[in-house]
């Protein structure tokens, strides 16, 4: 079964997020082979979206969390609050957080805390354009994974997903070739196996659209997609979910 993660970033208000979540539920009616779906709304919309989704199989995720359990951290959200409002997963290490100065070491601490607290984690990795053109993308991603997943011991049934998101592909309309993604995914999978988390999913993210989703989702080494821009409109999000369900 393939996975579709919708990262709504800071694009929608609370009412819009709730309406979109309702639209997804409606769109799934009668669908066979529903893929794994994760919706990541803005923090203030998490509780309402979680309520709308109720007992459906759709997961709600935070877009980030603090690396400490509790403390004087103005403007941050803790793992406890995420769980309280109904999140069952969290996106960590997104490049838009890293641009604010987040390091692999901090992402590592967040991963440990989220997993210890029973959340599923979706961890973003990926190289900047200069690293790709220098032919050093795989070494770069290798370093990221090594730091982020050191000493990680998943609980039973806890899900870990790694989203390979080349920085230059996010929100740019540019995507790597399927060959480059498949090659990177194979390397990520073999590294995750050597880090003792062979069951981790490997997703692709960066300018995924209904037009290119089939190619990515159809590939056996790609377990799913992390979608930003195309996930905030019901039609394009449902098209991608339909494609995921067909190739599942
Ligand atoms: P995009 O965003 O689909 O708009 O490129 C993906 C992401 O940032 O995760």
């Amino acid at each position: 079964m393939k996975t579709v993660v919708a990262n709504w970033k800071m694009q929608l208000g609370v009412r819009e997020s709730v309406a979109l979540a309702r639209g997804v539920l409606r769109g799934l009616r009668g669908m066979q082979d529903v893929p794994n779906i994760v919706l990541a709304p803005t923090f203030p919309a998490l509780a309402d979206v979680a309520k709308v989704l109720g007992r459906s199989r759709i997961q709600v995720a935070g877009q980030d969390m603090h690396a400490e359990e509790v403390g004087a951290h103005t403007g941050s959200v803790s793992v406890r609050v995420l769980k309280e409002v109904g999140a069952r997963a969290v996106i960590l290490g997104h490049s838009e957080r890293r641009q604010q100065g987040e390091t692999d070491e901090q992402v590592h601490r967040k991963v440990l805390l989220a997993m210890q607290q029973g959340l599923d984690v979706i961890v973003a990795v990926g190289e900047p354009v200069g690293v790709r053109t220098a032919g050093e993308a795989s070494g770069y991603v290798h370093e990221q994974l090594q730091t982020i997943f050191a000493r990680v011991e998943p609980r039973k049934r806890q899900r870990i997903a790694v989203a390979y998101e080349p920085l230059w592909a996010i929100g740019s309309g540019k995507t790597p070739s399927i060959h480059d993604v498949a090659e990177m995914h194979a390397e990520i999978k073999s590294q995750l196996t050597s880090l003792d988390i062979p069951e981790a999913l490997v997703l692709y993210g960066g300018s995924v659209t209904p037009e290119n989703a089939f190619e990515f989702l159809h590939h056996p080494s790609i377990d799913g997609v992390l979608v930003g821009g195309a996930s905030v409109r019901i039609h394009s999000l449902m098209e991608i979910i339909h494609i995921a369900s067909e190739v599942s």
Side-chain angles (χ1 to χ4, degrees):
M1 188 184 292
K2 300 277 173 167
T3 295
V4 176
V5 182
N7 178 12
W8 294 343
K9 309 194 181 186
M10 205 179 69
Q11 305 285 18
L12 300 174
V14 174
R15 278 192 293 251
E16 290 166 324
S17 303
V18 167
L20 190 50
R22 284 212 174 95
V24 173
L25 275 182
R26 262 197 307 276
L28 294 180
R29 278 188 208 141
M31 187 189 283
Q32 288 173 350
D33 304 321
V34 176
N36 294 317
I37 301 171
V38 184
L39 305 181
T42 187
F43 288 132
L46 270 173
D48 289 350
V49 168
K51 263 188 221 131
V52 163
L53 297 175
R55 291 173 170 276
S56 76
R57 281 188 38 247
I58 304 179
Q59 264 192 328
V60 185
Q63 296 178 11
D64 188 30
M65 59 174 236
H66 200 276
E68 282 175 32
E69 259 185 278
V70 69
H73 301 294
T74 304
S76 295
V77 171
S78 69
V79 64
R80 183 167 68 102
V81 170
L82 283 186
K83 285 168 54 179
E84 259 186 316
V85 297
R88 286 188 282 144
V90 62
I91 298 174
L92 297 173
H94 192 278
S95 70
E96 286 152 12
R97 303 304 313 166
R98 292 171 188 262
Q99 274 158 21
Q100 310 291 323
E102 183 164 271
T103 62
D104 289 336
E105 185 52 44
Q106 283 166 327
V107 180
H108 168 65
R109 290 175 52 218
K110 292 181 181 190
V111 167
L112 288 184
L113 179 60
M115 294 186 60
Q116 182 218 327
Q117 295 290 321
L119 287 183
D120 291 349
V121 296
I122 301 152
V123 180
V125 296
E127 79 287 350
V129 69
V131 171
R132 162 71 50 183
T133 44
E136 287 160 7
S138 73
Y140 186 93
V141 171
H142 186 94
E143 283 288 309
Q144 289 185 315
L145 292 171
Q146 212 58 34
T147 307
I148 293 169
F149 288 109
R151 307 187 304 281
V152 159
E153 283 172 29
R155 294 174 177 195
K156 263 205 183 126
R157 296 212 298 270
Q158 189 158 42
R159 268 195 297 197
I160 302 179
V162 170
Y164 169 56
E165 302 207 298
L167 268 51
W168 47 274
I170 296 175
S172 64
K174 293 187 197 132
T175 55
S177 69
I178 189 75
H179 173 80
D180 284 351
V181 176
E183 195 174 75
M184 183 63 91
H185 274 222
E187 285 174 34
I188 291 174
K189 286 207 177 187
S190 89
Q191 196 181 350
L192 292 172
T193 301
S194 66
L195 285 162
D196 237 9
I197 38 173
E199 66 291 339
L201 302 176
V202 187
L203 316 178
Y204 168 74
S207 296
V208 173
T209 62
E211 290 70 40
N212 62 25
F214 181 83
E215 191 179 30
F216 290 123
L217 284 164
H218 196 64
H219 201 283
S221 78
I222 300 178
D223 297 316
V225 288
L226 198 164
V227 191
S231 76
V232 296
R233 285 179 312 276
I234 187 66
H235 293 296
S236 46
L237 176 56
M238 284 314 301
E239 268 190 69
I240 293 169
I241 290 173
H242 272 283
I243 294 166
S245 105
E246 278 155 23
V247 297
S248 278

